[in-house]
Amino acid sequence: YLPKEVFLRTEDQIMDIVCMALAGRAAEEVFFGNVTTGASDDLRRVTQLVYSTIQQYGMNSRVGQMAFPQDPNAGPGDKPYSDATAKAMDEEARAIVDAAYERTLELIRERKEQVEKVANLLLEKETITHDDIVELVGHRPFEPDKQYQDFVSRHQPRQKSSEMEEAIPDAGDDNPTLTPGLA
């Protein structure tokens, strides 16, 4: 079972996704003072997402409430807008990505100690879970979606000790209740 996908996103949610994708490169810059080629796929995704906000979703005040979906059958240079509009899109995309990268750098710097904790745990365990992150740095600053929370959390709500005692069959019980599949 997977949580339902979210198909509708706000501009703020999209910008959070952009920042998340830029976090690896930003962490390289903050911790090592330079960047590597490791973020190339992230940069491709960021570029695609930012251009989508401008060209398809009408989420840019300069370009306006217009949609210019990509035509897979169009030839090179074929576009339903002028060169001036293309230039405006490019300038807006660059400004959006630059602002998102600066925001990401700021977040990494503010939370450098927490990022180091996560990095050290990754060196130790190689794969970490949502619950590992919560144990290291705490819960998110906002309430997560219930389906998402149920999906990513391995922790089940705690039972009170009296409930647990009732759930455990007595060792002297001749007819213990077994959980199906565990017999």
mmCIF file of all heavy atoms in Angstrom, residues 2 10 19 24 27 36 44 49 54 65 72 75 80 96 101 106 109 112-113 116 121 127 143 148 152 159-160 163 168:
data_model
loop_
_atom_site.group_PDB
_atom_site.id
_atom_site.type_symbol
_atom_site.label_atom_id
_atom_site.label_comp_id
_atom_site.label_asym_id
_atom_site.label_seq_id
_atom_site.Cartn_x
_atom_site.Cartn_y
_atom_site.Cartn_z
ATOM 1 N N LEU A 2 0.552 2.143 -0.878
ATOM 2 C CA LEU A 2 1.249 3.425 -0.939
ATOM 3 C C LEU A 2 0.245 4.542 -0.684
ATOM 4 O O LEU A 2 -0.916 4.427 -1.056
ATOM 5 C CB LEU A 2 1.877 3.638 -2.314
ATOM 6 C CG LEU A 2 3.005 2.691 -2.680
ATOM 7 C CD1 LEU A 2 3.437 2.921 -4.124
ATOM 8 C CD2 LEU A 2 4.189 2.895 -1.760
ATOM 9 N N THR A 10 0.663 23.647 -4.391
ATOM 10 C CA THR A 10 0.743 25.101 -4.406
ATOM 11 C C THR A 10 2.138 25.509 -4.867
ATOM 12 O O THR A 10 3.070 24.691 -4.890
ATOM 13 C CB THR A 10 0.490 25.691 -3.013
ATOM 14 O OG1 THR A 10 1.564 25.297 -2.148
ATOM 15 C CG2 THR A 10 -0.852 25.240 -2.437
ATOM 16 N N CYS A 19 13.813 23.305 -3.309
ATOM 17 C CA CYS A 19 14.857 23.439 -2.273
ATOM 18 C C CYS A 19 15.364 22.076 -1.815
ATOM 19 O O CYS A 19 16.564 21.893 -1.611
ATOM 20 C CB CYS A 19 14.325 24.246 -1.085
ATOM 21 S SG CYS A 19 14.121 26.000 -1.449
ATOM 22 N N GLY A 24 21.408 18.714 -1.604
ATOM 23 C CA GLY A 24 22.680 17.988 -1.702
ATOM 24 C C GLY A 24 23.805 18.885 -2.166
ATOM 25 O O GLY A 24 24.892 18.919 -1.581
ATOM 26 N N ALA A 27 24.592 21.436 0.544
ATOM 27 C CA ALA A 27 25.358 20.823 1.631
ATOM 28 C C ALA A 27 26.821 20.664 1.231
ATOM 29 O O ALA A 27 27.719 20.893 2.046
ATOM 30 C CB ALA A 27 24.752 19.476 2.015
ATOM 31 N N THR A 36 30.231 19.236 -6.556
ATOM 32 C CA THR A 36 30.650 18.193 -7.491
ATOM 33 C C THR A 36 29.577 18.018 -8.566
ATOM 34 O O THR A 36 28.554 18.703 -8.555
ATOM 35 C CB THR A 36 30.835 16.844 -6.755
ATOM 36 O OG1 THR A 36 29.551 16.375 -6.320
ATOM 37 C CG2 THR A 36 31.786 16.981 -5.576
ATOM 38 N N ARG A 44 18.599 18.868 -13.221
ATOM 39 C CA ARG A 44 17.687 18.624 -14.353
ATOM 40 C C ARG A 44 16.239 18.663 -13.873
ATOM 41 O O ARG A 44 15.381 19.304 -14.478
ATOM 42 C CB ARG A 44 18.000 17.274 -15.007
ATOM 43 C CG ARG A 44 17.110 16.952 -16.216
ATOM 44 C CD ARG A 44 17.240 15.498 -16.667
ATOM 45 N NE ARG A 44 16.963 14.547 -15.597
ATOM 46 C CZ ARG A 44 15.737 14.223 -15.158
ATOM 47 N NH1 ARG A 44 14.682 14.791 -15.670
ATOM 48 N NH2 ARG A 44 15.585 13.328 -14.203
ATOM 49 N N LEU A 49 11.002 21.398 -13.230
ATOM 50 C CA LEU A 49 9.921 21.803 -12.336
ATOM 51 C C LEU A 49 9.701 23.317 -12.358
ATOM 52 O O LEU A 49 8.569 23.794 -12.429
ATOM 53 C CB LEU A 49 10.219 21.316 -10.916
ATOM 54 C CG LEU A 49 9.112 21.396 -9.885
ATOM 55 C CD1 LEU A 49 7.835 20.728 -10.370
ATOM 56 C CD2 LEU A 49 9.575 20.755 -8.584
ATOM 57 N N ILE A 54 6.358 28.083 -14.663
ATOM 58 C CA ILE A 54 6.278 29.267 -15.525
ATOM 59 C C ILE A 54 5.488 28.971 -16.799
ATOM 60 O O ILE A 54 4.601 29.736 -17.181
ATOM 61 C CB ILE A 54 7.699 29.747 -15.894
ATOM 62 C CG1 ILE A 54 8.457 30.177 -14.638
ATOM 63 C CG2 ILE A 54 7.645 30.881 -16.917
ATOM 64 C CD1 ILE A 54 9.953 30.369 -14.860
ATOM 65 N N GLN A 65 -0.735 34.471 -16.394
ATOM 66 C CA GLN A 65 -1.639 33.310 -16.355
ATOM 67 C C GLN A 65 -1.747 32.693 -17.748
ATOM 68 O O GLN A 65 -2.810 32.669 -18.360
ATOM 69 C CB GLN A 65 -3.018 33.755 -15.858
ATOM 70 C CG GLN A 65 -3.017 34.452 -14.518
ATOM 71 C CD GLN A 65 -2.579 33.524 -13.412
ATOM 72 O OE1 GLN A 65 -3.063 32.387 -13.305
ATOM 73 N NE2 GLN A 65 -1.665 33.970 -12.573
ATOM 74 N N PRO A 72 5.574 17.432 -27.926
ATOM 75 C CA PRO A 72 6.626 16.457 -28.246
ATOM 76 C C PRO A 72 6.900 16.336 -29.739
ATOM 77 O O PRO A 72 7.943 15.844 -30.155
ATOM 78 C CB PRO A 72 6.089 15.143 -27.672
ATOM 79 C CG PRO A 72 4.628 15.349 -27.492
ATOM 80 C CD PRO A 72 4.397 16.818 -27.344
ATOM 81 N N GLY A 75 9.402 20.767 -33.666
ATOM 82 C CA GLY A 75 10.807 20.745 -34.078
ATOM 83 C C GLY A 75 11.618 21.714 -33.238
ATOM 84 O O GLY A 75 11.066 22.528 -32.489
ATOM 85 N N PRO A 80 5.232 28.279 -29.152
ATOM 86 C CA PRO A 80 4.049 29.125 -29.345
ATOM 87 C C PRO A 80 4.158 30.491 -28.666
ATOM 88 O O PRO A 80 3.156 31.057 -28.248
ATOM 89 C CB PRO A 80 2.941 28.286 -28.711
ATOM 90 C CG PRO A 80 3.614 27.543 -27.625
ATOM 91 C CD PRO A 80 5.010 27.257 -28.140
ATOM 92 N N ILE A 96 14.298 32.306 -9.996
ATOM 93 C CA ILE A 96 13.611 31.400 -9.067
ATOM 94 C C ILE A 96 14.591 30.373 -8.507
ATOM 95 O O ILE A 96 14.635 30.128 -7.298
ATOM 96 C CB ILE A 96 12.416 30.712 -9.766
ATOM 97 C CG1 ILE A 96 11.310 31.734 -10.021
ATOM 98 C CG2 ILE A 96 11.894 29.530 -8.935
ATOM 99 C CD1 ILE A 96 10.222 31.240 -10.969
ATOM 100 N N TYR A 101 18.062 28.342 -4.234
ATOM 101 C CA TYR A 101 19.377 27.872 -3.799
ATOM 102 C C TYR A 101 19.869 28.682 -2.600
ATOM 103 O O TYR A 101 20.405 28.109 -1.638
ATOM 104 C CB TYR A 101 20.371 27.944 -4.959
ATOM 105 C CG TYR A 101 21.690 27.282 -4.639
ATOM 106 C CD1 TYR A 101 21.772 25.900 -4.464
ATOM 107 C CD2 TYR A 101 22.855 28.024 -4.525
ATOM 108 C CE1 TYR A 101 22.976 25.285 -4.164
ATOM 109 C CE2 TYR A 101 24.071 27.414 -4.228
ATOM 110 C CZ TYR A 101 24.123 26.049 -4.055
ATOM 111 O OH TYR A 101 25.317 25.446 -3.752
ATOM 112 N N GLU A 106 20.889 28.844 3.189
ATOM 113 C CA GLU A 106 20.563 29.431 4.488
ATOM 114 C C GLU A 106 20.049 28.364 5.462
ATOM 115 O O GLU A 106 20.469 28.311 6.625
ATOM 116 C CB GLU A 106 19.484 30.511 4.267
ATOM 117 C CG GLU A 106 19.421 31.579 5.301
ATOM 118 C CD GLU A 106 18.425 32.655 4.863
ATOM 119 O OE1 GLU A 106 18.702 33.374 3.885
ATOM 120 O OE2 GLU A 106 17.375 32.746 5.522
ATOM 121 N N ARG A 109 22.914 26.067 6.532
ATOM 122 C CA ARG A 109 23.776 26.754 7.503
ATOM 123 C C ARG A 109 23.107 26.839 8.870
ATOM 124 O O ARG A 109 23.758 26.615 9.896
ATOM 125 C CB ARG A 109 24.139 28.150 6.996
ATOM 126 C CG ARG A 109 25.112 28.134 5.843
ATOM 127 C CD ARG A 109 25.462 29.543 5.370
ATOM 128 N NE ARG A 109 26.303 29.493 4.195
ATOM 129 C CZ ARG A 109 26.004 30.071 3.039
ATOM 130 N NH1 ARG A 109 24.903 30.792 2.897
ATOM 131 N NH2 ARG A 109 26.820 29.959 2.010
ATOM 132 N N LYS A 112 23.098 23.241 10.417
ATOM 133 C CA LYS A 112 24.321 22.500 10.102
ATOM 134 C C LYS A 112 24.542 21.327 11.063
ATOM 135 O O LYS A 112 24.900 20.232 10.643
ATOM 136 C CB LYS A 112 25.521 23.456 10.128
ATOM 137 C CG LYS A 112 26.790 22.847 9.593
ATOM 138 C CD LYS A 112 27.892 23.888 9.476
ATOM 139 C CE LYS A 112 29.144 23.234 8.902
ATOM 140 N NZ LYS A 112 30.229 24.191 8.749
ATOM 141 N N GLU A 113 24.296 21.547 12.333
ATOM 142 C CA GLU A 113 24.493 20.487 13.324
ATOM 143 C C GLU A 113 23.549 19.306 13.063
ATOM 144 O O GLU A 113 23.953 18.145 13.157
ATOM 145 C CB GLU A 113 24.256 21.048 14.728
ATOM 146 C CG GLU A 113 24.587 20.067 15.837
ATOM 147 C CD GLU A 113 24.405 20.713 17.206
ATOM 148 O OE1 GLU A 113 25.021 21.764 17.450
ATOM 149 O OE2 GLU A 113 23.638 20.143 17.998
ATOM 150 N N GLU A 116 24.738 17.378 10.047
ATOM 151 C CA GLU A 116 25.880 16.525 10.408
ATOM 152 C C GLU A 116 25.424 15.250 11.112
ATOM 153 O O GLU A 116 25.967 14.174 10.862
ATOM 154 C CB GLU A 116 26.857 17.293 11.293
ATOM 155 C CG GLU A 116 27.688 18.297 10.521
ATOM 156 C CD GLU A 116 28.692 19.017 11.396
ATOM 157 O OE1 GLU A 116 28.266 19.864 12.209
ATOM 158 O OE2 GLU A 116 29.892 18.723 11.252
ATOM 159 N N LEU A 121 24.810 9.400 10.758
ATOM 160 C CA LEU A 121 23.973 8.198 10.822
ATOM 161 C C LEU A 121 23.985 7.469 9.481
ATOM 162 O O LEU A 121 24.028 6.239 9.444
ATOM 163 C CB LEU A 121 22.543 8.543 11.236
ATOM 164 C CG LEU A 121 21.624 7.337 11.449
ATOM 165 C CD1 LEU A 121 22.155 6.434 12.573
ATOM 166 C CD2 LEU A 121 20.207 7.799 11.767
ATOM 167 N N THR A 127 21.371 3.199 5.142
ATOM 168 C CA THR A 127 19.971 3.487 4.832
ATOM 169 C C THR A 127 19.274 3.869 6.120
ATOM 170 O O THR A 127 19.365 3.145 7.112
ATOM 171 C CB THR A 127 19.273 2.240 4.232
ATOM 172 O OG1 THR A 127 19.964 1.868 3.037
ATOM 173 C CG2 THR A 127 17.820 2.540 3.900
ATOM 174 N N GLU A 143 2.215 19.778 10.720
ATOM 175 C CA GLU A 143 1.505 18.505 10.860
ATOM 176 C C GLU A 143 1.530 17.757 9.524
ATOM 177 O O GLU A 143 1.085 18.274 8.506
ATOM 178 C CB GLU A 143 0.058 18.781 11.278
ATOM 179 C CG GLU A 143 -0.716 17.547 11.656
ATOM 180 C CD GLU A 143 -0.199 16.878 12.922
ATOM 181 O OE1 GLU A 143 0.313 17.578 13.810
ATOM 182 O OE2 GLU A 143 -0.290 15.642 13.006
ATOM 183 N N TYR A 148 0.448 9.785 4.838
ATOM 184 C CA TYR A 148 1.902 9.814 4.716
ATOM 185 C C TYR A 148 2.543 9.340 6.014
ATOM 186 O O TYR A 148 3.450 8.513 6.009
ATOM 187 C CB TYR A 148 2.370 11.231 4.365
ATOM 188 C CG TYR A 148 3.879 11.377 4.388
ATOM 189 C CD1 TYR A 148 4.648 10.958 3.321
ATOM 190 C CD2 TYR A 148 4.529 11.930 5.499
ATOM 191 C CE1 TYR A 148 6.025 11.080 3.344
ATOM 192 C CE2 TYR A 148 5.904 12.054 5.525
ATOM 193 C CZ TYR A 148 6.640 11.630 4.450
ATOM 194 O OH TYR A 148 8.015 11.738 4.470
ATOM 195 N N VAL A 152 5.117 6.140 6.391
ATOM 196 C CA VAL A 152 6.546 6.251 6.654
ATOM 197 C C VAL A 152 6.960 5.852 8.058
ATOM 198 O O VAL A 152 8.131 5.601 8.306
ATOM 199 C CB VAL A 152 7.090 7.668 6.370
ATOM 200 C CG1 VAL A 152 6.906 8.037 4.923
ATOM 201 C CG2 VAL A 152 6.464 8.694 7.280
ATOM 202 N N GLN A 159 0.796 1.066 23.413
ATOM 203 C CA GLN A 159 -0.271 0.565 24.263
ATOM 204 C C GLN A 159 0.111 0.819 25.711
ATOM 205 O O GLN A 159 1.281 0.801 26.064
ATOM 206 C CB GLN A 159 -0.445 -0.951 24.073
ATOM 207 C CG GLN A 159 -0.963 -1.342 22.709
ATOM 208 C CD GLN A 159 -1.099 -2.854 22.600
ATOM 209 O OE1 GLN A 159 -0.382 -3.604 23.258
ATOM 210 N NE2 GLN A 159 -2.019 -3.292 21.768
ATOM 211 N N LYS A 160 -0.876 1.047 26.532
ATOM 212 C CA LYS A 160 -0.616 1.182 27.958
ATOM 213 C C LYS A 160 -0.220 -0.185 28.496
ATOM 214 O O LYS A 160 -0.623 -1.216 27.963
ATOM 215 C CB LYS A 160 -1.868 1.693 28.677
ATOM 216 C CG LYS A 160 -2.248 3.090 28.250
ATOM 217 C CD LYS A 160 -3.520 3.526 28.940
ATOM 218 C CE LYS A 160 -3.951 4.891 28.424
ATOM 219 N NZ LYS A 160 -5.265 5.261 28.883
ATOM 220 N N GLU A 163 -2.998 -2.674 28.960
ATOM 221 C CA GLU A 163 -3.505 -3.212 27.707
ATOM 222 C C GLU A 163 -2.565 -4.289 27.178
ATOM 223 O O GLU A 163 -3.012 -5.297 26.642
ATOM 224 C CB GLU A 163 -3.631 -2.107 26.661
ATOM 225 C CG GLU A 163 -4.718 -1.096 26.935
ATOM 226 C CD GLU A 163 -4.707 0.041 25.921
ATOM 227 O OE1 GLU A 163 -4.061 -0.093 24.858
ATOM 228 O OE2 GLU A 163 -5.340 1.066 26.196
ATOM 229 N N ILE A 168 -1.246 -10.208 26.143
ATOM 230 C CA ILE A 168 -0.303 -11.327 26.229
ATOM 231 C C ILE A 168 -0.993 -12.487 26.934
ATOM 232 O O ILE A 168 -1.437 -12.357 28.073
ATOM 233 C CB ILE A 168 0.976 -10.928 26.995
ATOM 234 C CG1 ILE A 168 1.660 -9.770 26.262
ATOM 235 C CG2 ILE A 168 1.916 -12.111 27.145
ATOM 236 C CD1 ILE A 168 2.807 -9.163 27.034
#
